[in-house]
Amino acid sequence: LPHATVAEVITYTKPEQVATPPAWLLGRLPWRGWRLPLFSFPMLTGQLEDESRSNARVAVLKALGGHAGMPFLALLAQGFPRLTTITQELLIPTSDEHPNAPGVRAEVLVRDDRAVIPDLDAIEDMVAKALAA
């Protein structure tokens, strides 16, 4: 994720349930007067059916898509997210021919590690639609 989109990293707490959510929408977390929608990226993209909550953190993301009443999103994160500098030269597109999963902008290699670049606009839209249903 771009550093500018991360507002804060907080400790995971059990979220409030939302009515009839998709499996990847884990509920809402209270944060600074807001009730943030908490989502699992691996569940949203179909990589996992369930994501562990033990030792998890939450990355609070600035929502830049302009959805009224949703200026932030909460992303379940495993371990403690770390800041790393990545330049364009370090990003190598994978040669996969398959279409990207919903919520994925691109799959790349970074220093021989496979990485997924999330499509934050699409994710915001998916969360907003799930909450409106």
Side-chain angles (χ1 to χ4, degrees), residues 6-15 28-38 53 55-61 72-81:
V6 180
E8 188 175 349
V9 177
I10 59 176
T11 303
Y12 171 81
T13 57
K14 186 175 170 97
R28 287 187 177 267
L29 289 179
W31 179 77
R32 299 185 183 191
W34 294 96
R35 291 177 52 239
L36 308 181
L38 174 66
R53 275 66 158 190
N55 297 320
R57 302 266 194 253
V58 174
V60 177
L61 308 178
F72 299 97
L73 300 169
L75 165 67
L76 189 66
Q78 298 302 317
F80 196 82

Side-chain angles (χ1 to χ4, degrees), residues 19-99:
T20 62
W24 52 264
L25 185 58
L26 307 176
R28 287 187 177 267
L29 289 179
W31 179 77
R32 299 185 183 191
W34 294 96
R35 291 177 52 239
L36 308 181
L38 174 66
F39 70 96
S40 164
F41 185 72
M43 292 171 67
L44 181 140
T45 61
Q47 296 171 347
L48 293 176
E49 287 191 27
D50 195 19
E51 186 174 8
S52 172
R53 275 66 158 190
S54 64
N55 297 320
R57 302 266 194 253
V58 174
V60 177
L61 308 178
K62 297 171 189 169
L64 305 174
H67 294 282
M70 195 174 70
F72 299 97
L73 300 169
L75 165 67
L76 189 66
Q78 298 302 317
F80 196 82
R82 66 186 189 282
L83 183 63
T84 185
T85 301
I86 298 178
T87 62
Q88 188 67 34
E89 295 78 34
L90 292 175
L91 293 176
I92 301 168
T94 62
S95 58
D96 295 346
E97 304 264 336
H98 64 84

